Amino acid sequence: MDFQPLKLEHKPIFDKMFARTQSDNSWFTFVNLFIWQDAYHPEWVVEDDCLFVTLSRHGVFYAFPPFVPSEQDFPAAVDKLVTYFNGRDVPFLLKGLSASMAELLTTCRPGRFTATPRRDRYDYVYLTTDLAELNGRKYHSKRNHITKFTAANPDWHYGKLTPSRIEECMEIANIWCVHRECAIYPDLALEYQAIKLAFANYDALDLQGGVILIDNKVQAFTFSEKLNKEMAVIHIEKANPKIDGLYAIINKEFCKNAWQEVTYINREEDLGVPGLRKAKESYFPVKLIEKYDLTLQD
């Protein structure tokens, strides 16, 4: 298998293959792979109409489940990856399998694989209307937070993130990076690089974003893309840490203005970070997208 590094011109190939699966998994988009390439070093190959993607993180080499024409092709494609891993003399590891993928492999290849759920990687999925409207008692505290923001900033408004706003958005990214000490924490520095790469290729990546402006100056931004016919995925959301309420207001306004055409919003995983998990759960997800690791049994 002759894998090659990911480049921008490969986007149509990935879009075609990912559209065929219509997955709810936030990992399975070209944008996600492209903007995080400095962190995960993705490589890919298409063989027999199957897309294979390998990644490497913190010295661990692994692959996504192969993207195949039909479910019946999946076990054989996984067998091919096992052979490839053996040829490289590295432990076999797949990440991001759905529960149905894991069940299929453990059923049709009994005694060969072990599937392990990774709760810290589950995606949080919400109804678009819930995030856009914040109706009901359960969102009372969110509405109060927004009310305080609007009272303190009467000159705020929402706008579309266009290329003309990118320079201002990068200023906010810089403020966020200094505040979170990216120079000390490598993972945050890689997130900053992902933002830079996304903005450097904003139109080519077909991203859709929004901004919150105060005094006509960007103070928060977000960008996303359509994941499948019913769902959008929010890739990045950043705000000036000196202004309270920005994250609550941009979340609400972006969903209300940009994604009324889809039923669901995927806000990705919590990475096992307690504060991030609490924040994501506070918006009451309607479902979690399970992700499993797959290894060979000893």
Side-chain angles (χ1 to χ4, degrees):
M1 302 175 79
D2 188 16
F3 284 84
Q4 60 178 307
L6 191 72
K7 297 181 180 179
L8 185 60
E9 60 261 31
H10 300 145
K11 185 175 186 298
I13 298 171
F14 279 76
D15 288 350
K16 176 184 175 182
M17 293 293 186
F18 289 147
R20 188 167 61 186
T21 63
Q22 288 291 303
S23 174
D24 291 341
N25 189 326
S26 67
W27 291 356
F28 301 157
T29 79
F30 179 83
V31 170
N32 184 67
L33 289 167
F34 183 80
I35 68 175
W36 287 97
Q37 61 182 278
D38 290 343
Y40 295 96
H41 315 287
E43 296 192 340
W44 68 282
V45 66
V46 172
E47 290 193 2
D48 300 324
D49 201 27
C50 298
L51 171 64
F52 300 90
V53 180
T54 63
L55 307 99
S56 179
R57 178 75 168 144
H58 297 314
V60 177
F61 183 77
Y62 64 97
F64 281 163
F67 302 92
V68 296
S70 64
E71 184 180 279
Q72 66 185 16
D73 301 309
F74 187 64
V78 173
D79 290 339
K80 192 170 186 176
L81 276 175
V82 172
T83 300
Y84 176 73
F85 274 71
N86 288 339
R88 289 190 55 145
D89 196 26
V90 293
F92 174 76
L93 176 61
L94 296 191
K95 287 181 174 288
L97 281 80
S98 66
S100 61
M101 289 175 178
E103 183 179 5
L104 173 63
L105 288 172
T106 54
T107 300
C108 71
R109 300 287 191 269
R112 190 176 195 197
F113 298 111
T114 297
T116 306
R118 288 292 306 275
R119 174 62 182 84
D120 58 332
R121 298 296 181 175
Y122 287 12
D123 287 336
Y124 288 74
V125 174
Y126 309 84
L127 287 173
T128 305
T129 52
D130 282 350
L131 297 185
E133 299 170 8
L134 299 178
N135 288 331
R137 180 179 295 179
K138 65 183 180 180
Y139 291 115
H140 177 72
S141 64
K142 301 295 183 186
R143 294 196 301 274
N144 279 349
H145 206 39
I146 289 173
T147 298
K148 290 179 181 178
F149 169 82
T150 55
N153 302 279
D155 53 352
W156 78 275
H157 69 276
Y158 170 85
K160 187 175 181 180
L161 200 172
T162 60
S164 64
R165 297 286 188 186
I166 286 177
E167 184 175 349
E168 285 186 85
C169 290
M170 279 308 305
E171 291 177 12
I172 297 302
N174 290 333
I175 293 171
W176 166 82
C177 204
V178 171
H179 177 75
R180 295 294 302 276
E181 299 182 302
C182 290
I184 298 176
Y185 299 104
D187 285 351
L188 295 180
L190 286 168
E191 185 173 3
Y192 178 75
Q193 287 300 117
I195 294 169
K196 286 180 64 177
L197 195 55
F199 281 146
N201 301 277
Y202 190 75
D203 284 340
L205 293 174
D206 196 26
L207 293 167
Q208 184 156 313
V211 295
I212 296 296
L213 301 103
I214 301 175
D215 286 333
N216 207 36
K217 181 174 175 59
V218 172
Q219 297 294 349
F221 70 86
T222 185
F223 59 77
S224 65
E225 65 174 322
K226 201 168 185 180
L227 183 58
N228 57 50
K229 293 178 181 178
E230 294 188 330
M231 187 180 297
V233 55
I234 310 294
H235 287 301
I236 295 288
E237 186 179 81
K238 292 289 175 269
N240 188 334
K242 299 177 182 179
I243 303 175
D244 291 337
L246 278 170
Y247 282 105
I249 194 74
I250 195 167
N251 182 18
K252 179 180 186 296
E253 292 298 313
F254 185 55
C255 293
K256 182 175 74 173
N257 288 279
W259 286 119
Q260 286 298 300
E261 68 187 80
V262 297
T263 304
Y264 301 105
I265 300 292
N266 184 320
R267 291 187 57 83
E268 302 187 337
E269 65 257 16
D270 63 34
L271 303 173
V273 178
L276 190 55
R277 179 166 296 186
K278 182 179 180 180
K280 290 182 182 290
E281 289 177 343
S282 73
Y283 277 95
F284 302 97
V286 293
K287 58 182 174 179
L288 300 177
I289 305 304
E290 297 177 333
K291 299 176 188 176
Y292 286 73
D293 287 356
L294 191 80
T295 54
L296 292 173
Q297 290 191 10
D298 295 333

